[in-house]
Amino acid sequence: MNPSTAQATVVVDELVRNDVRHVVVCPGSRNAAIAMALHEAAEAGRLTMHVRIDERSAGFLALGLSKASGRPAAVACTSGTAVANLHPAVLEAYHSGVGMLLLTADRPPELHGTGANQTIDQRGLFGPAALAVEFPVAERRGGQNQVWRGLVCRAVAQAEAGRPVQVNMPFREPLVPTFEPRWPEPLDGRPDGLRWTTSAAPVTMAGSRVDFPLPARTLMVVGSGRDDRARAAAAVAASAGWPAVAEPVGQAAALAGGASVLRCGALLLAAGELPESLRPEAVVVVGRPTLSRGVRGLMGRAPVYGIGDHPQWTDPQYVATHVRGWLDLDDMSHVDGIDQDWLPAWRHADAAAATAVEKLLGEQEWPTGLRIAAEVLDALPSGAALFLGSSNPVRDVDLVAEPRSDVAIHANRGVAGIDGNVSTAAGMALATERPAYALIGDLTLLHDLNGLLVGPPEQRPDLTVVVHNDDGGGIFTLLEQGAAEYQPTFERVFGTPHGADLASLCRGYHVAHTLAATPDELRRALAPGRGLRVVEVRSNRALLRDLHARLRATVADAALR
């Protein structure tokens, strides 16, 4: 056994012992030893291996696997720019608090600075977004088995704490198994399949609890973040009689905690000045809200109390009065009474807004992004998993869809890019036994088209991808640059029409494609099925800005006056 093969064999064995269940492998030369060891483990049923030819998509696939499984997944690649292509997924994982492992093969030290092919300084390439675990170059000598295993345990422990970890492994040739003398020491792990080193999970709650008064007229906002934190805080909202505005990724946890989650909460906050009966005396922000300008505007008009990760709390406007790491029913003594009129007032406004929204959307020619969002979420089977694209789809669901406790919603809200969304959704689907769906825009699909590329030997996700195709960047229509005075610039620079034939692209990737031209066709296309499918719905984004303006005005008239 040569040194590269010995090290790779030990690393893979220890990953399995550390309960790393999914590994995504990208083809390459310098990572041959680790790829072959992973293949052997997969053939033995010790882990599940997924092969992808595009490192950027592979990184996001690993991210989706990590999100949905609750365990760090790994992605393995060769040296050079292959490693750099993992960076977008690493940034999303870091800012989302999702642990994943990056098994990056490297050239040995003697090749650095020599002009050797595919050789860059990839140590610490991801900066603060990934912790670095550096392996020594394997040598034919004793005393290395415990080093390799110990380093794997350190890497997995960090990933289990919610951090991306780069495991950088320089390999010398030969990179494939060869017939060489017996290795000078046993390469066994601990007996009974145990980890080489066990470690306790970090404690994040102690000393960071609420220790200040919470007014009776408090509004809770739930964003992305840890589900256990959201459930615990939601139980306080339920007991204290506080309404909750929950972004899609936080809705299931908030509902599980018993909170009264408003269907049109984001719309109510964006529609105009709140009447006196709805003005909160404080806003408790749980996790990281990123979607609504209405929520951001509210935070400047009432004291803000953050419940989130400390010390990197979410407060981009610098308005937070207090930030703590945890809030649960043990903190009810800090709640300053219950206002019996507070929650009913919000429920009444929410019901009025929902009625007005349904009437307005029902009067529009089908489809609109808002109706697609509401109808997709309504049509999903109980127990489904849904990934929402980072542009308009997640916002459309936030604005008008009925919250559901029986649908697990995922989205890349760490840095909210549209890159890698298809692959993240595919990873979600592969890591769950739930019926899996994604709702994304056309540019999001085109940006990660390789997420549809699954080779014949590979496990195909059971995933239905609904693509709202408005031929360009619909979200920019709703921003400042979408105003009438910027129209000479808008269409080419921001609208970016592409005219892509999605059906032909899907056919080239051997992916089933359906064009849904009516609500009934859309609902039928969402019936649970096997394999990877794309359902396209086409709309006209030229109508988008006016519809959203009328939506806000309608809600203001119905619920705020």
Side-chain angles (χ1 to χ4, degrees), residues 465-488:
V465 182
V466 180
V467 181
H468 175 205
N469 183 3
D470 57 8
D471 193 31
I475 191 170
F476 300 115
T477 306
L478 304 176
L479 303 179
E480 290 80 359
Q481 56 263 53
E485 58 266 32
Y486 304 121
Q487 283 307 299

Side-chain angles (χ1 to χ4, degrees), residues 3 75 86 91 152 175-176 207 215 291 326 364 381 405 425 454 464 474 488 490 495:
V75 55
L86 299 177
L91 289 170
V152 170
L175 303 172
V176 297
L291 295 176
W326 197 259
Q364 308 307 305
S405 61
V454 184
T464 301
F490 179 84

Side-chain angles (χ1 to χ4, degrees), residues 218-223 227-247 250-263 284 286 327 329 332 342-344 346-347 350 402-405:
T218 290
L219 178 69
M220 180 171 284
V221 174
V222 182
D227 283 350
D228 59 343
R229 179 186 285 127
R231 284 194 301 271
V236 174
S239 296
W242 300 342
V245 177
E247 293 188 346
Q251 286 176 358
L255 290 166
S260 293
V261 176
L262 304 171
R263 173 178 177 179
V284 170
V286 183
L327 172 67
L329 290 174
M332 282 298 295
W342 178 235
L343 182 56
W346 272 96
R347 283 176 169 164
D350 189 48
E402 183 74 44
R404 292 183 59 176
S405 61

Side-chain angles (χ1 to χ4, degrees), residues 303-326:
V304 174
Y305 306 143
I307 308 297
D309 294 315
H310 187 79
Q312 188 177 338
W313 60 79
T314 300
D315 183 26
Q317 297 166 281
Y318 297 93
V319 295
T321 304
H322 303 292
V323 176
R324 300 292 185 270
W326 197 259

